[in-house]
Amino acid sequence: MIRIALADAVLTGDLAIPDEPTGIVVFAHGSGSSRHSPRNRAVAEGLNAAGIGTLLLDLLTEHEDQLDSLTATLRFDIELLTMRLIGTIDRLSEGLESAPRTAGLPLGLFGASTGAAAALAAAAARPGVAAVVSRGGRPDLAGPSLARVRAPVLLIVGGRDTEVLELNEQARRRLDGRAELHVISGATHLFEEPGALEEVTMQAAEWFNRHLRQAALR
């Protein structure tokens, strides 16, 4: 476990960096979730096995997460989550005191549910972000930031998650050729069906490795 001190908060995360990493991916979790999400931890382990570092990050502080009256509101405060994600990106790029190896590594973002909106808005604000993957995300909540995203984006959606699928199709068009939509047949929003989460992991690992390697050559 590591702690990242930002201007307005101290965030908690779990950092894993394999030998000779392709880069590092920061996970932005969705509403009602945290760095302990079993689905995101499973994806992170798959990325680690593929040679990619990961930071599973709580964008709310421990205190904020315990305030029932505020937590629901804060989890949907895309602007707040985005600013904290941007702060984390900047700290990683500089190299953390507890993890100096992060300095200079190509960086990607993985967002789930509402966390995908924060990931896309952060990528719009930080053009150095090499790639973004959204799992069952709400990219529409990124609003006007979508038009400013320059990183390649992979939108992964379950075929039976019909409402979210439509929102992702709309977002793909707004991303103007910088995004691909991958639909997992038969999967619902949480990708609980046999093999669904494994396909998410495989697609994410291929996307990140391709684009993180390209970023390292620039």
Side-chain angles (χ1 to χ4, degrees):
M1 184 178 75
I2 64 168
R3 296 189 183 277
I4 300 175
L6 305 179
D8 68 329
V10 177
L11 305 182
T12 303
D14 292 331
L15 179 68
I17 303 181
D19 294 336
E20 300 182 5
T22 309
I24 183 167
V25 171
V26 181
F27 280 65
H29 307 290
S31 58
S33 189
S34 73
R35 74 183 194 281
H36 300 298
S37 160
R39 286 173 291 278
N40 281 348
R41 295 190 80 85
V43 174
E45 289 173 5
L47 296 187
N48 296 156
I52 303 166
T54 55
L55 173 60
L56 291 153
L57 183 68
D58 286 338
L59 291 173
L60 299 184
T61 67
E62 294 173 2
H63 177 65
E64 290 167 343
D65 206 32
Q66 293 169 359
L67 297 174
D68 292 340
S69 59
L70 284 177
T71 298
T73 300
L74 292 174
R75 289 193 184 282
F76 285 92
D77 189 337
I78 303 302
E79 183 177 357
L80 172 69
L81 302 181
T82 298
M83 293 309 298
R84 290 184 175 176
L85 193 52
I86 289 170
T88 301
I89 290 168
D90 293 344
R91 292 296 312 280
L92 288 173
S93 299
E94 298 163 359
L96 300 173
E97 184 176 341
S98 57
R101 291 180 64 200
T102 64
L105 285 177
L107 189 141
L109 301 174
F110 183 99
S113 190
T114 53
L120 287 162
R126 290 294 182 268
V129 170
V132 179
V133 173
S134 163
R135 173 182 65 81
R138 288 292 307 275
D140 55 298
L141 296 178
S145 293
L146 282 178
R148 300 195 299 272
V149 175
R150 292 294 172 263
V153 179
L154 178 63
L155 305 168
I156 304 175
V157 188
R160 292 167 59 196
D161 192 8
T162 53
E163 183 177 350
V164 172
L165 177 55
E166 174 59 28
L167 292 171
N168 275 258
E169 289 175 337
Q170 294 172 10
R172 181 180 60 81
R173 291 192 289 270
R174 292 175 64 190
L175 284 161
D176 192 26
R178 293 179 298 280
E180 292 183 16
L181 177 64
H182 181 81
V183 180
I184 298 181
S185 178
T188 51
H189 186 64
L190 296 180
F191 300 90
E192 297 174 307
E193 294 73 22
L197 197 59
E198 289 80 1
E199 186 171 346
V200 170
T201 303
M202 180 187 70
Q203 293 292 329
E206 289 180 354
W207 189 263
F208 283 127
N209 264 328
R210 183 197 323 165
H211 295 291
L212 293 175
R213 286 190 178 115
Q214 289 175 359
L217 296 174
R218 293 181 195 136

